[in-house]
Amino acid sequence: MADNLSEALKTLKLSSADSTSDSVESCLDCLLKALAHNNVEASEKIQEMGVLPMMPSLLATQNSCTPKVANIIAELAKNEFMRSPCVEAGLIPPLVQLLNCKDQEVLLQTGRALGNICYDSHEGRSAVDEAGGAQIVAEHIKALVHNTDPATGKLLTVFCGMLMNYSNDNDTLQAQLISMGVIPTLVKLLGVHAQNTALTEMCLIAFGNLAELESSKEQFASTNIAEELVRLFRKQVEHEKKEMIFEVLAPLAENDAIKLQLVEAGLVECLLDVVGQTVDSDREEDVAQLKTASDLMVLLLLGDESMQKLFEGGKGSVFQRVLSWVPSNNHQLQLAGALAIANFARNDGNCIHMVDTGIVQMLLELLDRHVEEGNVTVQHAALSALRNLAIPVVNKSKMLSAGVADVVLKFLQSEMPPVQFKLLGTLRMLIDTQADAADQLGTNCKLVERLVEWCEAKDHAGVMGESNRLLSALIRHSKSKEVVGTVIQCGGVKHLVTMATSEHMIMQNEALVALGLIAALDLDSAEKDFVGATLVQVLHKLLTEEKSAPEIKYNSMILICSVMGSEPLHKEVQSLAFIDVVSKLRSHENKTVAHQASLTEQRLTAQS
């Protein structure tokens, strides 16, 4: 074989000028045979003998040899080490030229050659881009979309593969294909050629690549991709095929318009079927499919319209089926069920309905199962759902009566920041406007100590922020001297003073109101902490800073008046010449601030 190949290559070099001769054709046949026998070895030999630079001239004159030359290039380019040499030998421009011919065999082999040269090759892609190859291929696909004969199907598969290799993992080239209008064409292909397995697979892989790009979502949304994918999904029995469709659905379902289209096309029923078929299986692929299907279900519920459509006033069969996941013994389904409830609980109407129909109890039982088992993702999801359900005012007392706070407190020892964060948020939502609950929790030393500890969690800004906000909320909603006493005793005052300097106005305000209540209810006990935390200096800064909001200035002045009863704090106020700062604020554009400035000035003057 090797000798034959060497002979053929020599002959080819000699007779390349006369590309129509029989000797050229028999040499090409010999090359193809050698490549089929041992591609790598034959490719190395062809490279070694310097035959590649002759290929452009062989491609330039179209005849019966042309498809064979293109086929040889396609075979050579299966090897990574041959792709750059193919580009360097100038093969791309003549190959792209061949895309303009009408001969189907030439088009097929040329498509293969270009596709293989582009595979994982930056040089190959750049050269095809420069020669305008993608545009011609895209136009061919568009023109052939409705042609269903097998030979055309094969050509379309090759062309789709070529575009995929051309643009894979390259945002710029993918964006170029999108702007050429490739997406609607491929969606049509999927519909017309649904029986052609190879072509539908190629379309799916292309969709998977393009769907990652944000700019593609609008184009996809304007096609009937949702219907086509759901139709295709229903037909599949093999795990791999379903997986391929899932890989396209996941990025597409991030778009709200497509979410709704998928729901309307019946994807949810397909997902529920997958869950039903895989829930009791231990097979690795079934476990993976269950996770993918239930995750996708949760993703569909992130769209407001798609979520509301499936909720159906709390009577929807999908809503009921998803609820049944929560008490199951499968962690993945428990997780998806809790996340689904959290997603359904995105407006007051849904939340009120869910609390009235006993969903809180279901979540509490789930959490109880995970105090010991400790599946963090399930804990996090169930707490997220409870936090959302606690937002409407009418739900708070009902949830407190159901024992939500007691169950949530069982997770106080968790060392997982995501769980800590949701636990804090849930308690903060529950006690909002609920004085008794705030009183009860605010005198729970274990809770307050843990909050003070988390107020120092500098590695976890979310936990730190939520701890401060809950500490402040316990005081603001209880307005109780006992709660204030517990916070002082546990060392929480300094954190509230720091919170008053937060970059978030809402947190600054919450801190100032809580500090005002501490000063009003138990100034003597807090005095030492106020001095230690430099409260007066902080207030001076808040009042002198231009960027401080009117509410911040107002609450800072209220607080100044409240601390005047303490001798050391009174001295600090005098030493910082607060009267000058406050008198300037009498002309503040905000009337409430200006009025409070007058009152504060009178108070400071009277006590100086």
Side-chain angles (χ1 to χ4, degrees):
M1 182 67 85
D3 293 345
N4 291 350
L5 178 61
S6 299
E7 282 306 312
L9 291 168
K10 281 177 192 160
T11 310
L12 191 60
K13 284 184 86 167
L14 292 170
S15 50
S16 64
D18 179 15
S19 59
T20 53
S21 70
D22 293 343
S23 60
V24 169
E25 190 143 4
S26 61
C27 290
L28 296 174
D29 289 337
C30 183
L31 261 63
L32 283 168
K33 207 170 171 185
L35 286 162
H37 177 69
N38 186 332
N39 193 313
V40 175
E41 203 176 286
S43 297
E44 285 169 345
K45 190 82 178 161
I46 290 168
Q47 164 79 324
E48 211 177 285
M49 296 279 289
V51 169
L52 278 183
M54 299 161 42
M55 296 282 182
S57 59
L58 289 171
L59 290 169
T61 46
Q62 236 179 284
N63 54 46
S64 59
C65 293
T66 309
K68 289 182 180 177
V69 179
N71 187 359
I72 287 167
I73 297 169
E75 291 300 316
L76 290 171
K78 283 180 178 176
N79 303 293
E80 193 185 345
F81 66 87
M82 290 301 289
R83 287 170 203 148
S84 290
C86 282
V87 176
E88 285 154 17
L91 300 187
I92 300 294
L95 282 169
V96 169
Q97 271 309 111
L98 287 178
L99 289 172
N100 294 308
C101 87
K102 299 278 184 280
D103 185 298
Q104 210 159 30
E105 183 60 19
V106 172
L107 288 173
L108 183 79
Q109 299 303 345
T110 305
R112 285 184 62 235
L114 289 169
N116 289 353
I117 292 171
C118 285
Y119 185 82
D120 242 355
S121 161
H122 175 66
E123 295 86 355
R125 290 168 184 180
S126 297
V128 172
D129 180 22
E130 217 171 294
Q135 180 75 54
I136 304 170
V137 170
E139 281 162 11
H140 272 303
I141 297 173
K142 200 170 181 178
L144 295 169
V145 113
H146 293 289
N147 188 333
T148 54
D149 75 76
T152 306
K154 200 173 171 188
L155 180 60
L156 284 167
T157 306
V158 165
F159 277 164
C160 287
M162 181 258 160
L163 290 184
M164 204 176 60
N165 287 354
Y166 170 72
S167 64
N168 190 28
D169 281 339
N170 185 313
D171 288 359
T172 312
L173 296 180
Q174 286 176 354
Q176 182 194 83
L177 292 185
I178 290 165
S179 64
M180 285 176 195
V182 160
I183 288 172
T185 307
L186 291 178
V187 174
K188 259 190 214 138
L189 266 189
L190 196 62
V192 175
H193 298 264
Q195 306 310 315
N196 184 333
T197 313
L199 184 51
T200 50
E201 279 184 20
M202 205 53 90
C203 287
L204 288 172
I205 297 167
F207 290 148
N209 287 346
L210 297 172
E212 297 292 343
L213 225 63
E214 211 38 59
S215 59
S216 74
K217 307 273 168 70
E218 258 177 61
Q219 271 206 29
F220 274 118
S222 66
T223 70
N224 64 336
I225 184 77
E227 288 168 46
E228 293 297 357
L229 289 175
V230 171
R231 196 159 57 85
L232 196 61
F233 192 87
R234 286 197 179 110
K235 285 167 47 185
Q236 304 310 322
V237 279
E238 290 171 46
H239 168 78
E240 283 76 19
K241 297 282 167 61
K242 286 183 180 174
E243 207 54 51
M244 278 181 89
I245 301 171
F246 274 143
E247 278 172 21
V248 180
L249 288 168
L252 285 180
E254 285 167 13
N255 176 281
D256 281 359
I258 299 174
K259 280 186 183 80
L260 187 59
Q261 290 169 9
L262 289 168
V263 167
E264 287 171 343
L267 177 63
V268 171
E269 289 71 19
C270 296
L271 297 177
L272 290 171
D273 287 346
V274 171
V275 169
Q277 290 155 14
T278 55
V279 65
D280 297 319
S281 169
D282 293 332
R283 284 168 56 204
E284 201 176 314
E285 60 185 42
D286 286 340
V287 172
Q289 211 166 86
L290 174 76
K291 180 177 176 1
T292 309
S294 53
D295 284 352
L296 191 48
M297 184 77 194
V298 172
L299 182 57
L300 291 176
L301 293 172
L302 277 172
D304 288 337
E305 282 187 85
S306 49
M307 176 273 287
Q308 214 50 46
K309 191 175 176 65
L310 294 171
F311 189 66
E312 288 181 57
K315 294 179 175 61
S317 63
V318 172
F319 172 62
Q320 298 300 333
R321 288 273 292 276
V322 169
L323 284 189
S324 73
W325 295 354
V326 177
S328 81
N329 291 318
N330 183 301
H331 282 186
Q332 174 57 34
L333 279 193
Q334 292 170 0
L335 169 65
L339 286 173
I341 292 172
N343 285 345
F344 280 123
R346 284 212 313 281
N347 62 51
D348 284 7
N350 291 6
C351 289
I352 292 164
H353 176 87
M354 286 195 274
V355 168
D356 288 346
T357 49
I359 284 169
V360 169
Q361 205 46 50
M362 199 184 271
L363 290 166
L364 294 183
E365 284 163 15
L366 176 63
L367 276 172
D368 262 333
R369 290 164 71 179
H370 284 277
V371 176
E372 298 307 321
E373 285 179 55
N375 183 307
V376 175
T377 50
V378 176
Q379 291 172 0
H380 181 263
L383 288 167
S384 296
L386 287 171
R387 181 198 173 280
N388 288 3
L389 289 170
I391 293 171
V393 177
V394 293
N395 282 356
K396 298 179 195 295
S397 57
K398 292 175 188 173
M399 290 176 72
L400 287 163
S401 305
V404 172
D406 300 332
V407 174
V408 170
L409 285 172
K410 291 179 184 178
F411 295 90
L412 207 51
Q413 295 317 307
S414 171
E415 293 302 330
M416 306 305 288
V419 174
Q420 296 168 352
F421 181 72
K422 286 296 175 187
L423 171 152
L424 293 162
T426 307
L427 290 176
R428 187 165 63 78
M429 281 302 156
L430 279 172
I431 63 163
D432 193 8
T433 70
Q434 306 297 306
D436 291 348
D439 203 344
Q440 202 181 338
L441 290 170
T443 49
N444 177 332
C445 289
K446 270 190 180 163
L447 170 63
V448 178
E449 279 168 5
R450 193 73 161 134
L451 292 183
V452 169
E453 183 189 326
W454 286 340
C455 282
E456 292 170 4
K458 292 193 170 47
D459 294 343
H460 302 286
V463 172
M464 192 162 85
E466 276 293 343
S467 302
N468 276 304
R469 292 191 76 186
L470 181 53
L471 206 54
S472 153
L474 291 169
I475 296 168
R476 288 183 297 109
H477 296 301
S478 69
K479 299 182 175 59
S480 143
K481 189 171 180 175
E482 285 72 26
V483 171
V484 165
T486 309
V487 171
I488 295 169
Q489 188 191 327
C490 294
V493 173
K494 64 178 180 186
H495 296 299
L496 291 171
V497 175
T498 305
M499 182 182 168
T501 64
S502 163
E503 59 198 36
H504 304 291
M505 191 190 80
I506 192 163
M507 286 177 70
Q508 283 185 301
N509 230 0
E510 288 172 359
L512 290 169
V513 173
L515 290 165
L517 284 163
I518 293 173
L521 292 166
D522 199 350
L523 182 58
D524 290 349
S525 305
E527 183 181 80
K528 193 174 159 209
D529 289 335
F530 280 163
V531 172
T534 65
L535 172 66
V536 174
Q537 285 90 320
V538 166
L539 294 174
H540 187 271
K541 190 170 182 230
L542 290 175
L543 286 173
T544 49
E545 273 185 352
E546 280 295 315
K547 63 176 184 177
S548 294
E551 302 93 303
I552 304 301
K553 292 190 187 297
Y554 175 81
N555 282 322
S556 297
M557 287 188 281
I558 298 269
L559 189 44
I560 285 295
C561 295
S562 301
V563 301
M564 292 298 282
S566 149
E567 197 183 330
L569 292 168
H570 186 173
K571 278 183 179 162
E572 285 188 25
V573 170
Q574 283 180 311
S575 70
L576 280 171
F578 261 85
I579 285 194
D580 301 345
V581 179
V582 172
S583 65
K584 280 180 191 164
L585 290 173
R586 275 173 35 201
S587 55
H588 195 277
E589 59 187 1
N590 182 295
K591 296 281 184 289
T592 316
V593 172
H595 180 62
Q596 186 56 44
S598 296
L599 295 177
T600 308
E601 189 181 31
Q602 287 166 25
R603 179 81 190 266
L604 293 174
T605 311
Q607 288 193 278
S608 59

